Amino acid sequence: MPYVITERCIGSKDTSCYDVCPVDAIQPSPDGPAFDSHDQLFIDPVACIECGACTAVCPVEAIYEEGDVPAQSQASIAVNRRHFVDEAASAP
Ligand code: SF4
C-alpha cells in the first residue's frame, strides 16, 4: 500500500520528505508555484513505491503507510488521492 501524508503536516509543511523521495511522488514541489497554495504536502498513491523513506524523516510524524493511518486521519487517504486527480484535471 502507498504512503499517505496526514493532516498533521498542516502547520509544518516540512519538506524533508520531498527531498528523500526517490521517485518524486510527493507534491507540491517546494520550489514550484503551487507550494504556497496548499497547506500540506501529498503523496501520489500511484507513483509511491512504498520505500518508507519519507516516514523516517518527517519531523511531525505525519506520514503513514495507508494500512496504518490512524482512525482520526482516515480522511487523509482520499485527500492525498484527490490532490493528484485535481492536478491532472487542471493541467493544460
Ligand atoms: S514511501 Fe518512498 S516512494 Fe512513497 S512517497 Fe515516501 S519516500 Fe516516496
Side-chain angles (χ1 to χ4, degrees):
M1 288 187 190
Y3 281 64
V4 172
I5 300 179
T6 67
E7 75 287 348
R8 294 186 69 163
C9 180
I10 298 172
S12 172
K13 268 178 85 177
D14 184 89
T15 57
S16 299
C17 57
Y18 180 90
D19 294 338
V20 300
C21 181
V23 294
D24 293 335
I26 299 176
Q27 294 293 330
S29 164
D31 300 325
F35 189 75
D36 289 339
S37 61
H38 296 287
D39 56 7
Q40 70 163 85
L41 286 89
F42 310 93
I43 292 175
D44 182 343
V46 175
C48 177
I49 60 170
E50 305 162 31
C51 71
C54 52
T55 300
V57 298
C58 180
V60 294
E61 300 181 4
I63 308 175
Y64 297 84
E65 191 270 338
E66 187 174 305
D68 293 332
V69 173
Q72 70 270 22
S73 300
Q74 284 288 307
S76 293
I77 296 172
V79 167
N80 278 244
R81 291 181 184 276
R82 187 78 215 165
H83 173 77
F84 292 94
V85 171
D86 289 347
E87 290 293 302
S90 63

